[in-house]
């Protein structure tokens, strides 16, 4: 009986020591090591890929914002799963796709309405947008609903409106888009893209400096 109790005590002691050691290793040492490496070598990404303007953090290069007025480039639609009533720049509180099939009547209606709006908003005197010019990303949300990028084609479609509303030449705004167009990752992954927030910050700087 005494031997059995002694063995049980030793097993409990060993289990407790293992719990303490593993807790320290996996709950303290490992997280601190990973955090230290991330801060040392990937500081910008580890802190949310923040974008600053006028010395203040205005967003992240990884998360799309909504609510720009028509003086600025517009992002992809954000037909998500919920809304944030506190910060209207981030209208989504949940990330996700609409999960509607391509022949879903509701989705088809959304696309028709969105295309009509894109044509209406971006047609200005001397430049009329045709339906065939409107790319898919102008009328559909991304899989996450939080895509920070638009295609160069959608950015180009908006150039005339942005130029007119800001008193800039089309050439100036087109050059701005070209400067903020990112190529495929490693030259072959993904598609060329334009970060809307970064482009709009540069646009504001150009307007204020002109």
């Amino acid at each position: 009986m005494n031997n059995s109790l002694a063995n049980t005590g030793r097993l409990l002691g060993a289990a407790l020591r293992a719990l303490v050691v593993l807790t320290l290793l996996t709950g303290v040492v490992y997280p601190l090591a990973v955090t230290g490496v991330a801060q040392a070598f990937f500081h910008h990404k580890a802190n949310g890929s923040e974008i600053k303007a006028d010395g203040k953090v205005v967003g992240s290069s990884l998360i799309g914002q909504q609510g720009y007025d028509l003086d600025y480039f517009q992002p992809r639609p954000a037909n998500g799963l919920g809304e944030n009533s506190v910060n209207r720049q981030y209208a989504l509180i949940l990330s996700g796709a609409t999960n509607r099939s391509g022949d879903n009547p509701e989705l088809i209606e959304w696309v028709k309405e969105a295309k009509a709006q894109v044509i209406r908003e971006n047609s200005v005197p001397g430049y009329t947008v045709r339906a065939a010019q409107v790319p898919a990303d102008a009328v559909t949300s991304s899989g996450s609903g939080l895509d920070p990028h638009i295609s160069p084609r959608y950015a180009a479609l908006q150039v005339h409106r942005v130029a007119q509303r800001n008193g800039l030449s089309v050439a100036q705004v087109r050059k701005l888009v070209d400067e903020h167009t990112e190529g495929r990752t490693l030259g072959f992954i993904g598609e060329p893209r334009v970060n809307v927030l970064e482009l709009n910050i540069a646009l504001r700087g150009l307007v204020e400096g002109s």
Side-chain angles (χ1 to χ4, degrees), residues 162-181:
V162 170
Q164 185 180 89
R165 292 181 70 97
N166 288 283
L168 300 171
S169 70
V170 170
Q172 283 178 296
V173 180
R174 187 172 286 140
K175 181 173 182 289
L176 203 64
V177 171
D178 291 342
E179 291 172 347
H180 288 81
T181 299

Side-chain angles (χ1 to χ4, degrees), residues 103-162:
D103 60 354
N104 181 280
E106 188 175 22
L107 179 60
I108 292 172
E109 189 61 29
W110 285 353
V111 170
K112 287 181 178 178
E113 291 175 359
K115 180 174 285 191
Q117 181 176 347
V118 168
I119 292 172
R120 183 172 61 253
E121 291 179 349
N122 291 281
S123 294
V124 296
Y127 178 77
T128 301
V129 176
R130 301 185 306 276
Q133 290 179 263
V134 181
D137 62 303
V139 296
T140 57
S141 60
S142 64
S144 68
L146 299 172
D147 193 345
H149 299 100
I150 57 175
S151 65
R153 185 179 170 192
Y154 185 29
L157 182 148
Q158 302 183 60
V159 163
H160 287 78
R161 167 181 52 79
V162 170

